[in-house]
Amino acid sequence: MGPALKALPKWPPLDREVDKVNLFGMTIESDLPTCVEPDRVFPLFDDESILLARSIVTAPGARVLDLGTGSGVLALAAARWGAEVVSTDINPLALACVAHNAAVNALTGKVQWRQCDLFAGMPTDSFDLIVANPPFLPLPSGLSLFTSSDAGPLGLRVVGPLIRSARRFLKPGGRLLLLTMNFAGREGAAAARIAHEAFNHVTDGVQVCDLYGGGLPVEEFCACFSALGPTTDWLEDLKRHGFDRLSYLLLEARREGRLSHPISPPALRETKFSGSWQARLSRYRAWIERRRLQSGWCPP
Ligand SMILES: C[S@@+](CC[C@H](N)C(=O)[O-])C[C@H]1O[C@@H](n2cnc3c(N)ncnc32)[C@H](O)[C@@H]1O
């Protein structure tokens, strides 16, 4: 499925300290939360990858796609139920990390990996479950932080095409389970609106859980970036699109039909969530500041 293992970079890269998290009796390595290298493998945060990993329930033989796999935490969470998982990413370092994590947890036979952009080269009508925690950090135009997080000024660079395409790659009865932060306005959150358009509103089903139980005003979010330059144009553009707040969502979209490997839906509304907007904003401010100090980084 992927290029030969020897084509992958070395995990961990020289001089990079790794984080090790114990989850479901497995040890999963990734980059440290303090890592600000542009190609970092996404760190494992309780209110993000771990939360989504805990929501994954599959069945032996189920076919799962972990799109944007990073450390492979979601792939391993699915494989532990006996599912056959395909892990994809555009970052070769992430694939080296997932190959390592699958090997040390004796799941190599259950997790295939492949370097690709979104669904490129994937067979249609094939997956019982697609899981994704895609890059969703909105950034002012022209600014770039990490392959793992950059989502463009409207936050939809990856999330938009991912949701629009996902249904074609699901088997009848298959589900997309997606974690994302995105802008919202009078018509609700952009990701939910796109899912309602992309999935059939009569026969399919879309469920959304608003994890913070309320949005963050766009002004407060954009202020995180004010140390880097004026954010007025960005803010005006968001308002022009009708966005007034940011929301953090767990979204499940189901294609009509029946699966031969039925998988239980996650209890989205009962998802226990301990995060807060303030913790999230502090994380983003720390990334920006560390990146600036480390490399004399100066945004355009
Ligand atoms: C937020 S990280 C999540 C990683 C992991 N799934 C987790 O939950 O910890 C997003 C991942 O998507 C990958 N990615 C970014 N753009 C992509 C694209 N166009 N196609 C596939 N993967 C992409 C990044 O390299 C990164 O590993």
Side-chain angles (χ1 to χ4, degrees), residues 42 49 67-70 73-74 89-91 116-118 133-135 147-148 158:
F42 195 66
S49 315
L67 195 158
T69 192
V73 57
L74 308 179
D89 210 291
I90 49 167
N91 179 1
C116 76
D117 184 356
L118 288 165
N133 170 20
T147 309
S148 59
V158 178

Side-chain angles (χ1 to χ4, degrees), residues 39-218:
D39 69 343
R40 67 170 191 185
V41 175
F42 195 66
L44 295 164
F45 297 104
D46 281 346
D47 61 355
E48 201 161 327
S49 315
I50 307 283
L51 166 90
L52 186 52
R54 289 190 196 284
S55 310
I56 294 173
V57 181
T58 64
R63 296 251 310 145
V64 177
L65 172 63
D66 174 15
L67 195 158
T69 192
S71 61
V73 57
L74 308 179
L76 300 188
R80 80 192 172 106
W81 296 88
E84 309 288 334
V85 186
V86 179
S87 271
T88 64
D89 210 291
I90 49 167
N91 179 1
L93 187 59
L95 297 173
C97 182
V98 74
H100 171 89
N101 283 330
V104 299
N105 292 295
L107 286 169
T108 298
K110 290 280 173 200
V111 181
Q112 295 179 302
W113 51 268
R114 175 176 186 156
Q115 184 177 8
C116 76
D117 184 356
L118 288 165
F119 293 96
M122 285 294 146
T124 53
D125 306 300
S126 320
F127 296 102
D128 298 87
L129 178 68
I130 298 172
V131 286
N133 170 20
F136 57 60
L137 178 64
L139 293 171
S141 179
L143 193 64
S144 158
L145 277 175
F146 314 109
T147 309
S148 59
S149 304
D150 295 359
L154 298 181
L156 293 169
R157 184 180 65 85
V158 178
V159 172
L162 192 164
I163 301 176
R164 282 193 192 93
S165 306
R167 191 181 187 279
R168 280 201 307 128
F169 297 90
L170 290 171
K171 290 180 188 168
R175 292 189 171 85
L176 166 69
L177 183 60
L178 175 95
L179 183 71
T180 189
M181 183 169 84
N182 65 97
F183 291 116
R186 258 218 311 266
E187 291 173 21
R193 191 173 38 73
I194 296 170
H196 284 292
E197 284 164 11
F199 283 73
N200 186 309
H201 71 283
V202 179
T203 55
D204 297 338
V206 174
Q207 273 196 77
V208 179
C209 176
D210 181 343
L211 290 164
Y212 291 122
L216 178 80
V218 283

